[in-house]
Amino acid sequence: MASIKMRATLGDDGVTTIKILISHPMDTGLEKDKKTGNTIPAHFIQEVVCEHNGTNVLTAEWGPAISKNPYLSFRFKGGKTGDTLKLSWVDNLGNSDSGEVTIQ
Amino acid sequence: MTDMKRRIFLRGTLTTGAIGMAVSAGLITPRMVLAAWPKTAFDATSVDGAVNSLFGSTTLTGSNKIKIKAPDIAENGAVVPISIETDIEGVESISIIAEKNATPLTSSFVLGKGTEAFIATRIKMAKTSSVIAVVKAGGKLYSTGKEVKVTIGGCGG
């Protein structure tokens, strides 16, 4: 959970708005280290999955052109206050993280 | 994939539930876990190549029902806020393409049943170009574009 900041808010219209910030370098593999001149290897999140009560609400496939420390927001219907949302990500080096938040 | 990387991968996935368990039980290899990630689409160097690889078709129907919210001028190409919204019915996925990036496909979002056709994120843009939203709904592809002027590129170099 350390890498994920997530907030889910239920609106009066029954729509849950989710806002997510993930700390990740999202290196493209094209940039050079300014001190050493060496190319910084590609290191980016490839897949982000968000589940509500075990059902997929969003699967995001990302390339390296998502900005560093990615931000993502989306909305879905069917959530209730107190429901748990689970978010998990996997990057191209096989690192992963996941976190949970309750709908407010 | 080298053995070392596999180790790291295994460690990383152990906490992710069913998939992690399946991997550690040797039921599926790490390569298969990410099989869903459309590598050829992300590696494609043209818009057509990316769209074709992602959807198996390059027939895009222009639509004024798709709204792209993006700055007219992005001072920093490394962080360009984009949001895409559409009132087309039955949207299955939304993809965001930066036309003049070396590899134009930035991201693709597959929506669940109750998920609204709205996505907001931040992308990198190498230079001034169109941002294209491709929406898949009812097996058809709809698209619209918006020009974003980039004063400083965001893809290195």
Side-chain angles (χ1 to χ4, degrees):
Chain A
M1 185 79 185
S3 70
I4 303 169
K5 271 189 197 157
M6 178 161 57
R7 181 172 293 171
T9 329
L10 182 66
D12 294 336
D13 50 2
V15 176
T16 305
T17 302
I18 300 159
K19 289 182 178 171
I20 301 154
L21 267 176
I22 304 173
S23 39
H24 198 282
M26 297 300 285
D27 290 316
T28 56
L30 303 172
E31 222 160 333
K32 285 197 169 102
D33 187 316
K34 281 186 185 117
K35 280 181 195 149
T36 63
N38 295 331
T39 304
I40 302 166
H43 184 198
F44 58 95
I45 294 176
Q46 290 185 314
E47 192 169 84
V48 182
V49 176
C50 186
E51 286 170 63
H52 166 246
N53 289 343
T55 311
N56 247 353
V57 284
L58 189 82
T59 305
E61 311 286 356
W62 285 355
I66 292 294
S67 302
K68 179 181 176 177
N69 297 331
Y71 166 76
L72 171 64
S73 176
F74 66 98
R75 304 192 286 246
F76 80 99
K77 281 182 196 144
K80 291 191 294 291
T81 307
D83 282 1
T84 302
L85 281 169
K86 188 187 171 196
L87 188 89
S88 46
W89 60 257
V90 182
D91 72 19
N92 67 321
L93 302 181
N95 303 308
S96 67
D97 198 5
S98 66
E100 286 183 353
V101 76
T102 50
I103 298 177
Q104 290 178 333
Chain B
M1 193 174 276
T2 66
D3 212 40
M4 194 57 203
K5 272 190 181 156
R6 186 162 185 275
R7 286 291 139 229
I8 296 167
F9 188 92
L10 286 178
R11 210 188 314 136
T13 48
L14 282 176
T15 51
T16 59
I19 290 176
M21 279 163 67
V23 171
S24 57
L27 294 176
I28 39 179
T29 64
R31 200 169 284 271
M32 285 168 67
V33 175
L34 280 176
W37 191 71
K39 187 177 188 310
T40 45
F42 280 109
D43 285 347
T45 52
S46 70
V47 174
D48 273 2
V51 171
N52 192 32
S53 163
L54 208 53
F55 302 108
S57 160
T58 54
T59 314
L60 301 177
T61 311
S63 171
N64 55 12
K65 284 185 169 178
I66 306 170
K67 288 195 186 81
I68 301 180
K69 222 163 120 186
D72 295 328
I73 298 172
E75 280 179 21
N76 181 1
V79 186
V80 185
I82 305 279
S83 77
I84 290 164
E85 192 166 11
T86 175
D87 30 9
I88 296 172
E89 296 283 311
V91 174
E92 295 157 44
S93 77
I94 297 174
S95 303
I96 307 173
I97 295 171
E99 193 185 5
K100 298 231 171 96
N101 276 8
T103 52
L105 181 65
T106 68
S107 52
S108 188
F109 301 85
V110 181
L111 311 184
K113 260 191 183 162
T115 308
E116 301 208 321
F118 164 82
I119 287 290
T121 188
R122 299 190 293 223
I123 67 168
K124 297 175 197 166
M125 291 181 70
K127 51 181 128 175
T128 298
S129 87
S130 263
V131 172
I132 303 166
V134 178
V135 171
K136 187 183 180 192
K140 271 184 122 182
L141 300 174
Y142 301 91
S143 79
T144 194
K146 184 187 189 303
E147 177 95 351
V148 176
K149 277 208 169 83
V150 176
T151 36
I152 307 169
C155 291

